[in-house]
Amino acid sequence: AQSVTQLDSQVPVFEEAPVELRCNYSSSVSVYLFWYVQYPNQGLQLLLKYLSGSTLVESINGFEAEFNKSQTSFHLRKPSVHISDTAEYFCAVSKGSGNTPLVFGKGTRLSVIA
Amino acid sequence: EPEVTQTPSHQVTQMGQEVILRCVPISNHLYFYWYRQILGQKVEFLVSFYNNEISEKSEIFDDQFSVERPDGSNFTLKIRSTKLEDSAMYFCASSTATGGLFFGPGTRLTVL
């Protein structure tokens, strides 16, 4: 079975500062990895995903995540955050594509301070 | 941009009553899911659905729960006799075969 650990439940950071949200996973098989973002009072939005190929994946709003197989990690980073990035971020893993359930971490609340 | 829609946005019900949560997945998606998020807790998988049948379900998805795709567009989750602990945000999701689920905005279910 897969599991996801997000060690930081809350991360406060000043505007324009860099941020890293940590995600580690455990699995006995190859996995696909995802980051979802949940803005206040909204649903989950897919931020980025790793399925195969380049281990560095990027989103359209400046976030990036790097798949590190040896460290079983998929940390999310952004070099300069904005107030609008304040949200809950969930790391998720699945053991396949298509009809394979996602296993979510507990989430990290990113609070950007002006 | 296509999106998953869910109705109602908020459902309040009495314990023991039946509720039906509705979802319209993205039109060309073939895989459908229900997840729930109890307040302050992680998002939990309930059930996945493909080719008009349940593909996988979690231990949460007991006999009180059922899913149905009554027509070509809707995907429903029914809870036959609601309990207080069913209070949660319920998310519908859909996907293609290549990974990455697209979630709806959720239905907040409150059981009194």
Side-chain angles (χ1 to χ4, degrees), chain A residues 3-38:
Chain A
S3 67
V4 177
T5 302
Q6 292 182 250
L7 289 172
D8 306 305
S9 59
Q10 296 188 54
V11 174
V13 63
F14 286 104
E15 194 174 18
E16 297 183 6
V19 70
E20 178 180 84
L21 306 183
R22 295 180 292 170
C23 172
N24 289 88
Y25 68 93
S26 66
S27 176
S28 58
V29 299
S30 296
V31 295
Y32 295 173
L33 294 154
F34 306 84
W35 276 100
Y36 283 84
V37 58
Q38 185 178 33

Coordinates of all heavy atoms in Angstrom, one line a residue, chain A residues 3-38:
Chain A
S3 N 1.6 5.3 1.0 CA 1.3 6.3 2.0 C 2.1 7.6 1.7 O 3.1 7.5 1.0 CB 1.6 5.8 3.4 OG 3.0 5.6 3.5
V4 N 1.6 8.7 2.2 CA 2.2 10.0 1.9 C 2.3 10.7 3.2 O 1.4 10.7 4.0 CB 1.3 10.8 0.9 CG1 1.9 12.2 0.7 CG2 1.2 10.1 -0.4
T5 N 3.5 11.3 3.4 CA 3.8 12.1 4.6 C 4.1 13.5 4.2 O 5.0 13.7 3.5 CB 4.9 11.5 5.4 OG1 4.7 10.1 5.7 CG2 5.2 12.3 6.7
Q6 N 3.3 14.4 4.8 CA 3.6 15.8 4.7 C 4.0 16.3 6.1 O 3.1 16.4 6.9 CB 2.5 16.6 4.1 CG 2.2 16.3 2.6 CD 1.0 17.1 2.1 OE1 0.0 16.5 1.8 NE2 1.3 18.4 1.9
L7 N 5.2 16.5 6.3 CA 5.7 16.7 7.7 C 5.2 18.0 8.3 O 5.0 18.2 9.5 CB 7.2 16.6 7.8 CG 7.8 15.2 7.6 CD1 9.3 15.3 7.5 CD2 7.4 14.4 8.8
D8 N 5.0 19.0 7.4 CA 4.7 20.4 7.9 C 3.2 20.6 7.7 O 2.7 20.6 6.6 CB 5.5 21.4 7.1 CG 7.0 21.2 7.1 OD1 7.5 21.1 8.2 OD2 7.6 21.1 6.0
S9 N 2.5 20.8 8.8 CA 1.1 21.0 8.7 C 0.8 22.5 8.4 O -0.2 22.8 7.7 CB 0.4 20.7 10.1 OG 0.9 21.5 11.1
Q10 N 1.7 23.4 8.8 CA 1.6 24.8 8.5 C 2.9 25.4 8.1 O 3.9 25.1 8.8 CB 1.0 25.6 9.7 CG -0.4 25.2 10.1 CD -1.1 26.1 11.1 OE1 -1.1 27.3 10.9 NE2 -1.5 25.5 12.2
V11 N 2.9 26.2 7.1 CA 4.2 26.9 6.7 C 3.8 28.4 6.5 O 3.2 28.8 5.5 CB 4.8 26.3 5.4 CG1 6.0 27.1 5.0 CG2 5.2 24.9 5.7
P12 N 4.3 29.3 7.4 CA 4.1 30.7 7.2 C 5.3 31.2 6.5 O 6.5 30.8 6.8 CB 4.0 31.3 8.6 CG 4.8 30.3 9.4 CD 4.7 29.0 8.8
V13 N 5.2 32.1 5.5 CA 6.3 32.7 4.8 C 5.9 34.1 4.3 O 4.8 34.4 4.0 CB 6.6 31.8 3.6 CG1 5.5 31.7 2.6 CG2 7.9 32.2 2.9
F14 N 6.9 34.9 4.3 CA 6.7 36.3 3.8 C 6.6 36.4 2.3 O 7.2 35.6 1.6 CB 7.8 37.2 4.3 CG 7.7 37.5 5.8 CD1 8.6 36.9 6.7 CD2 6.8 38.5 6.3 CE1 8.5 37.2 8.1 CE2 6.7 38.7 7.6 CZ 7.5 38.1 8.5
E15 N 5.8 37.3 1.9 CA 5.7 37.5 0.4 C 7.0 37.7 -0.2 O 7.9 38.4 0.3 CB 4.7 38.7 0.2 CG 4.2 38.9 -1.2 CD 3.2 40.0 -1.4 OE1 3.2 40.9 -0.5 OE2 2.5 40.0 -2.3
E16 N 7.2 37.2 -1.4 CA 8.4 37.2 -2.2 C 9.5 36.4 -1.7 O 10.6 36.3 -2.3 CB 8.8 38.7 -2.5 CG 7.8 39.5 -3.2 CD 8.3 40.9 -3.5 OE1 9.5 41.2 -3.2 OE2 7.5 41.7 -4.0
A17 N 9.3 35.7 -0.6 CA 10.3 34.7 -0.1 C 10.1 33.4 -0.8 O 9.0 33.1 -1.3 CB 10.2 34.6 1.4
P18 N 11.2 32.5 -0.8 CA 11.0 31.2 -1.4 C 10.3 30.3 -0.4 O 10.3 30.5 0.8 CB 12.5 30.8 -1.6 CG 13.2 31.5 -0.6 CD 12.5 32.8 -0.4
V19 N 9.8 29.2 -0.9 CA 9.1 28.2 0.0 C 9.3 26.8 -0.6 O 9.5 26.6 -1.8 CB 7.6 28.5 0.1 CG1 6.9 28.2 -1.2 CG2 7.0 27.7 1.2
E20 N 9.4 25.9 0.4 CA 9.5 24.5 0.0 C 8.5 23.7 0.9 O 8.5 23.8 2.1 CB 10.9 23.9 0.2 CG 10.9 22.4 -0.1 CD 12.3 21.8 0.1 OE1 12.6 21.4 1.2 OE2 13.0 21.6 -0.9
L21 N 7.6 23.0 0.3 CA 6.6 22.1 1.0 C 7.0 20.7 0.8 O 7.1 20.2 -0.3 CB 5.2 22.4 0.5 CG 4.7 23.8 0.5 CD1 3.2 23.9 0.0 CD2 4.9 24.5 1.8
R22 N 7.3 20.0 1.9 CA 7.9 18.7 1.8 C 6.8 17.6 1.7 O 5.8 17.6 2.3 CB 8.8 18.4 3.0 CG 10.0 19.4 3.1 CD 10.8 19.1 4.3 NE 10.1 19.4 5.5 CZ 10.5 19.1 6.7 NH1 11.7 18.3 6.9 NH2 9.9 19.4 7.8
C23 N 7.2 16.6 0.9 CA 6.3 15.4 0.7 C 7.2 14.2 0.5 O 8.1 14.2 -0.3 CB 5.5 15.6 -0.6 SG 4.5 14.1 -1.0
N24 N 7.0 13.2 1.3 CA 7.6 11.9 1.2 C 6.6 10.8 1.0 O 5.5 10.9 1.6 CB 8.5 11.6 2.4 CG 9.7 12.5 2.4 OD1 9.7 13.6 3.0 ND2 10.8 12.0 1.8
Y25 N 6.9 9.8 0.3 CA 6.0 8.8 0.1 C 6.6 7.4 0.3 O 7.8 7.3 0.4 CB 5.4 8.8 -1.4 CG 6.5 8.5 -2.4 CD1 6.6 7.2 -2.9 CD2 7.3 9.4 -2.9 CE1 7.6 6.8 -3.8 CE2 8.3 9.1 -3.8 CZ 8.4 7.8 -4.3 OH 9.4 7.5 -5.2
S26 N 5.8 6.4 0.5 CA 6.3 5.0 0.6 C 5.4 4.2 -0.3 O 4.2 4.3 -0.4 CB 6.2 4.5 2.0 OG 4.9 4.4 2.5
S27 N 6.1 3.3 -1.0 CA 5.4 2.4 -1.9 C 6.3 1.3 -2.3 O 7.5 1.5 -2.5 CB 4.9 3.2 -3.2 OG 4.3 2.3 -4.1
S28 N 5.8 0.1 -2.5 CA 6.6 -1.0 -3.0 C 6.6 -1.1 -4.5 O 7.3 -2.0 -5.0 CB 6.0 -2.3 -2.4 OG 4.6 -2.5 -2.7
V29 N 5.8 -0.3 -5.2 CA 5.8 -0.3 -6.6 C 6.0 1.1 -7.1 O 6.1 2.1 -6.4 CB 4.4 -0.8 -7.1 CG1 4.2 -2.2 -6.7 CG2 3.3 0.1 -6.7
S30 N 6.2 1.2 -8.4 CA 6.4 2.5 -9.1 C 5.1 3.4 -8.9 O 4.0 2.8 -8.9 CB 6.7 2.4 -10.5 OG 7.9 1.7 -10.7
V31 N 5.3 4.6 -8.7 CA 4.2 5.5 -8.4 C 4.1 6.7 -9.3 O 5.1 7.1 -10.0 CB 4.2 6.0 -6.9 CG1 4.1 4.9 -6.0 CG2 5.5 6.8 -6.7
Y32 N 2.9 7.3 -9.4 CA 2.7 8.6 -10.0 C 2.5 9.5 -8.8 O 1.9 9.2 -7.8 CB 1.5 8.5 -10.9 CG 1.6 7.7 -12.1 CD1 0.5 7.4 -12.9 CD2 2.8 7.0 -12.4 CE1 0.6 6.6 -14.1 CE2 2.9 6.2 -13.5 CZ 1.8 6.0 -14.4 OH 1.9 5.2 -15.4
L33 N 2.9 10.8 -9.0 CA 2.9 11.7 -7.9 C 2.2 13.0 -8.3 O 2.3 13.4 -9.5 CB 4.3 12.0 -7.4 CG 5.0 10.8 -6.8 CD1 6.5 11.0 -6.9 CD2 4.6 10.7 -5.3
F34 N 1.5 13.6 -7.4 CA 0.7 14.8 -7.7 C 0.7 15.8 -6.5 O 0.9 15.4 -5.4 CB -0.8 14.4 -7.9 CG -1.0 13.2 -8.8 CD1 -0.9 11.9 -8.5 CD2 -1.4 13.5 -10.2 CE1 -1.1 10.9 -9.4 CE2 -1.6 12.5 -11.1 CZ -1.4 11.2 -10.7
W35 N 0.6 17.0 -6.9 CA 0.3 18.1 -5.9 C -1.0 18.7 -6.3 O -1.3 19.1 -7.5 CB 1.4 19.1 -5.9 CG 2.6 18.8 -5.1 CD1 3.8 18.3 -5.5 CD2 2.7 19.0 -3.6 NE1 4.6 18.1 -4.4 CE2 4.0 18.5 -3.3 CE3 1.8 19.4 -2.7 CZ2 4.4 18.5 -1.9 CZ3 2.2 19.5 -1.3 CH2 3.5 19.0 -1.0
Y36 N -1.9 18.8 -5.3 CA -3.2 19.5 -5.5 C -3.2 20.7 -4.5 O -2.6 20.7 -3.5 CB -4.3 18.6 -5.1 CG -4.7 17.6 -6.2 CD1 -4.0 16.4 -6.3 CD2 -5.7 17.9 -7.1 CE1 -4.3 15.5 -7.3 CE2 -6.0 16.9 -8.1 CZ -5.3 15.7 -8.2 OH -5.6 14.8 -9.1
V37 N -3.9 21.8 -5.0 CA -4.1 23.0 -4.1 C -5.5 23.2 -3.9 O -6.4 23.0 -4.7 CB -3.4 24.2 -4.8 CG1 -4.0 24.5 -6.2 CG2 -3.5 25.4 -3.9
Q38 N -5.8 23.6 -2.6 CA -7.2 23.9 -2.2 C -7.2 25.3 -1.7 O -6.8 25.5 -0.6 CB -7.7 22.9 -1.2 CG -9.1 23.0 -0.8 CD -9.6 21.9 0.2 OE1 -8.8 21.5 1.0 NE2 -10.8 21.5 0.1

